[in-house]
């Protein structure tokens, strides 16, 4: 920390700081809470940020900061105002940091202004303002505010009332011992894997231990995000871990339950894979709808207006959040049922609960889409195309096929292809060449569905239809094969593919776009993988080679997508974000 005599001296001192370091300017008259400064000066997610009397710039904004500081110095020294003569700047914009923030924004550099709420941040210019600032400082406990703000603003009922009241204190305990969110996230994963191993024993004691450990894992899962918000430790690696470990924990636990059930004489692998498929399809409905409406300029849907009105009635908010069976309620249900019942009952409850949740959320999204008067943007259309995960076969069809007219053509064609593929896998004789023919029809229809930009009101349904076609086809063909261990191999394959699809979602959310096209081409796209599994089922009918082929395919897909995903998320190009949004 260095003290500058004036703005010109500040420019000289800042220029001497190594280019790769963050810098900050704080007015010496600043009066405020430490956490107000922390919010304004230490959040790594923004290139520049300011609170009244203080400004920070990351390395990428350092050049703009120095230019703005030189301009401000020249303007102040010449007696010229930094703002327009007829403007009435806010008090915080009259300080040097405030003037520089205005200059940065005028140059095109985004400056984050965090909401401080009851926290005080001020630059008093007379005794009256000084007294008011000091009174506000004394009346607010910034540590209490910091703890309260560590909790996600919108969360499920179970998380809000059964976990967060004490997990925030665990987060503070971790922060005071210099533990990082990534370490807590890793501890949550390890705990969940131990829980899965306990469930895999197939004993009542193992099931009880698994249920308890799963809840402990969820507490740690909440703690890592609260620790990130409490200490403002957002990172690219943290974004990747947070985005993927929840799914890895849940699917590993499903596998542990299935293994335990088999040891007890009950094969529930098909139910486990069905629960995973349903959960993944639920999520892609949410992701696809949100991306389709991400940059909508107005909410013109009467259904959305009704939803907003219901949000003002307290009890309806919690009922609606519980109906969608978010991760807190879901894991609590899984943990309790694991300890008290059997894996089969756990999966039945999951299938019923997730089905009801899927019907509720999908119906609401359909109503909103049909009653919304808005057009899709190019960005939304590109996001839907990326989520569709079309491989070289579908892309080749899309290039040569004319776009089919009609507002609802794309989802209708995608649905038709899905029904053809799943129907062929379900009802045609197992191993029949006709199943391969159904896969060929699916490839063609998949290409037709994406031949035009996905800008229709219901075009967000295209990716969910494709996910259902691929995942359910793999499930059905593995279950019908009557080959030992075919369904567990299919579980591994769907897990690998689902990871790729979740990774795509979180890359798009971070603003960096979908995975590279070479990756999509290498793993075949949804239609290529679906057709390949259909061919394998026809060629390797009722032989153990089918299990071997599914396993090899799962390993190959997993290796390619994991290596590329890890490379991306640990690279400097990945965004520093943390999930604050939808209930998982």
């Amino acid at each position: 920390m260095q003290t500058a005599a004036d703005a010109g001296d500040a420019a000289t001192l800042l220029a001497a700081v190594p280019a790769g370091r963050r810098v900050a300017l704080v007015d010496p008259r600043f009066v405020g809470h430490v956490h107000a400064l922390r919010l304004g000066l230490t959040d790594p997610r923004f290139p520049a940020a300011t609170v009244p009397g203080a400004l920070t710039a990351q390395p990428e904004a350092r050049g703009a900061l120095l230019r703005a500081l030189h301009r401000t110095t020249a303007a102040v020294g010449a007696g010229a105002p930094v703002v327009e003569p007829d403007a009435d700047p806010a008090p915080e914009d009259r300080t040097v940091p405030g003037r520089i923030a205005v200059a940065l924004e005028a140059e095109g550099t985004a400056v984050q202004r965090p909401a401080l709420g009851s926290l005080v941040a001020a630059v008093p210019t007379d005794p009256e303002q000084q007294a008011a600032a000091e009174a506000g400082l004394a009346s607010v406990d910034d540590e209490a505010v910091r703890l309260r703000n560590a909790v996600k603003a919108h969360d499920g009922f179970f998380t809000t009332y059964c976990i967060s009241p004490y997990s925030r204190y665990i987060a503070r305990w971790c922060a005071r011992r210099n533990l990082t969110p990534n370490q807590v996230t890793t501890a949550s994963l390890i705990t969940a894997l131990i829980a899965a191993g306990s469930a895999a024993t197939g004993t009542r004691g193992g099931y009880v231990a698994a249920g308890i450990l799963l809840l402990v894992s969820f507490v740690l899962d909440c703690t890592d995000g609260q620790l990130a918000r409490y200490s403002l430790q957002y990172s690219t690696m943290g974004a990747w871990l947070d985005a993927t470990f929840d799914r890895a924990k849940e699917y590993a636990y499903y596998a542990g339950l299935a293994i335990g059930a088999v040891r007890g004489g009950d094969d529930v692998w098909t139910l486990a894979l069905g629960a995973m498929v349903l959960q993944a399809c639920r999520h892609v409905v949410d992701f696809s709808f949100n991306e389709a409406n991400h940059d909508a300029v107005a909410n013109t849907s009467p259904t959305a207006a009704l939803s907003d009105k219901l949000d003002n009635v307290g009890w309806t908010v919690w009922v609606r959040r519980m109906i969608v069976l978010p991760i807190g309620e879901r894991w609590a249900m899984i943990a309790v049922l694991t300890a008290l019942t059997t894996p089969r009952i756990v999966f039945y409850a999951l299938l019923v609960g997730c089905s009801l949740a899927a019907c509720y959320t999908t119906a609401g999204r359909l109503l909103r889409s049909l009653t919304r008067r808005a057009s899709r943007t190019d960005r939304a259309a590109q996001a839907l195309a990326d989520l569709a995960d079309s491989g070289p076969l579908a892309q080749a069809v899309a290039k040569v096929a004319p776009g089919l007219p009609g507002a609802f053509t794309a989802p209708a064609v995608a649905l038709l292809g899905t029904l053809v593929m799943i129907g062929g896998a379900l009802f045609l004789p197992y191993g029949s060449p006709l199943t391969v023919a159904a896969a060929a029809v699916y490839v063609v229809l998949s290409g037709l569905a994406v031949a035009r930009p996905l800008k229709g009101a219901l075009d967000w349904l295209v990716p969910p239809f494709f996910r259902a076609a691929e995942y359910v086809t793999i499930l059905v063909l593995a279950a019908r094969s009557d080959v030992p261990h075919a369904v567990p191999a299919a579980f591994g394959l769907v897990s690998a593919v689902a990871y790729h699809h979740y990774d795509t979602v979180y890359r798009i959310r971070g603003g960096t776009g979908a995975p590279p096209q070479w990756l999509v081409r290498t793993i075949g796209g949804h239609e290529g993988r679906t057709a390949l599994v259909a061919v394998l089922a026809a060629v390797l009918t009722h032989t153990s080679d089918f299990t071997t082929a599914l396993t090899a395919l799962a390993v190959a897909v997993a290796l390619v997508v994991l290596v590329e995903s890890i490379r991306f998320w640990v690279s400097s190009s990945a965004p520093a974000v943390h999930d604050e949004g939808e209930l998982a």
Side-chain angles (χ1 to χ4, degrees), residues 428-450:
L428 291 173
Y430 181 79
S432 168
L434 292 177
T435 306
V436 178
V441 173
Y442 174 67
V443 169
V444 173
L445 293 176
S446 297
L448 291 175
V450 296

Side-chain angles (χ1 to χ4, degrees), residues 72-407:
T72 301
T73 303
V76 172
V82 177
V83 295
E84 293 297 323
D86 58 349
D88 184 17
E92 59 267 24
D93 290 342
R94 298 190 186 111
T95 65
V96 170
R99 290 172 181 266
I100 295 172
V102 172
L104 281 173
E105 290 174 321
E107 186 178 317
T109 300
V111 179
Q112 172 70 10
R113 300 174 186 268
L116 299 180
S118 59
L119 295 174
V120 174
V123 180
T125 57
D126 57 47
E128 184 178 345
Q129 292 180 2
Q130 180 80 21
E134 291 177 351
L137 192 63
S139 65
V140 176
D141 182 353
D142 72 335
E143 178 60 21
V145 173
R146 188 181 182 189
L147 270 174
R148 184 169 63 248
N149 291 343
V151 178
K152 187 186 291 186
H154 302 287
D155 224 328
F157 181 87
F158 178 77
T159 304
T160 299
Y161 290 104
C162 299
I163 304 296
S164 292
Y166 57 87
S167 62
R168 69 184 76 182
Y169 295 101
I170 301 176
R172 182 171 66 181
W173 183 90
C174 293
R176 291 176 175 176
R177 284 152 183 81
N178 295 320
L179 297 176
T180 67
N182 293 351
Q183 291 171 331
V184 178
T185 303
T186 303
S188 175
L189 174 66
I190 293 172
T191 304
L193 294 178
I194 296 173
S198 299
T201 62
T203 64
R204 178 51 51 194
Y207 290 148
V208 172
I212 294 172
L213 288 170
L214 188 64
L215 289 177
V216 172
S217 175
F218 182 65
V219 172
L220 293 173
D221 182 57
C222 295
T223 301
D224 67 355
Q226 291 165 0
L227 175 58
R229 287 182 284 272
Y230 181 85
S231 57
L232 298 177
Q233 294 185 73
Y234 304 102
S235 67
T236 55
M237 177 64 78
W240 175 64
L241 296 178
D242 189 66
T244 57
F245 275 17
D246 281 350
R247 304 287 82 78
K249 289 181 286 189
E250 190 164 3
Y251 297 161
Y253 193 81
Y254 290 177
L257 282 176
I259 293 171
V262 170
R263 288 187 170 181
D266 187 16
D267 189 343
V268 296
W269 271 109
T270 300
L271 293 177
L273 180 51
M276 183 172 71
V277 167
L278 179 56
Q279 186 64 13
C281 289
R282 270 190 65 201
H283 280 153
V284 77
V285 167
D286 297 339
F287 296 146
S288 188
F289 176 82
N290 290 337
E291 288 305 322
N293 297 282
H294 175 77
D295 45 7
V297 295
N299 190 347
T300 58
S301 167
T303 307
L306 175 61
S307 177
D308 293 339
K309 290 181 180 179
L310 289 176
D311 282 342
N312 294 322
V313 183
W315 65 271
T316 66
V317 174
W318 295 117
V319 170
R320 291 164 66 211
R321 290 186 188 178
M322 294 172 69
I323 287 175
V324 300
L325 204 63
I327 188 169
E329 278 75 1
R330 192 167 67 249
W331 282 27
M333 179 185 73
I334 293 170
V336 171
L337 291 179
T338 298
L340 299 180
T341 64
T342 65
R344 181 172 289 273
I345 293 177
V346 172
F347 287 124
Y348 281 154
L350 269 173
L351 289 167
V352 172
C354 289
S355 295
L356 293 175
C359 291
Y360 171 77
T361 55
T362 305
R365 282 155 171 68
L366 285 170
L367 286 173
R368 290 190 185 202
S369 299
L370 291 172
T371 57
R372 190 185 193 102
R373 295 185 298 275
S375 58
R376 299 289 179 261
T377 63
D378 291 338
R379 180 210 173 278
Q382 184 57 53
L384 292 180
D386 293 334
L387 290 174
D389 192 33
S390 299
L393 297 178
Q395 290 176 3
V397 172
K399 286 181 180 179
V400 300
L404 299 177

Side-chain angles (χ1 to χ4, degrees), residues 29-42:
R29 300 167 295 171
F30 177 85
V31 176
H33 288 101
V34 173
H35 193 50
L37 276 180
R38 188 182 292 114
L39 289 171
L41 302 182
T42 65

Side-chain angles (χ1 to χ4, degrees), residues 406-432:
F408 305 116
T409 300
V413 172
L415 175 60
L416 177 60
T418 298
L419 294 176
V420 167
M421 189 66 254
I422 295 177
L426 271 173
F427 301 115
L428 291 173
Y430 181 79
S432 168

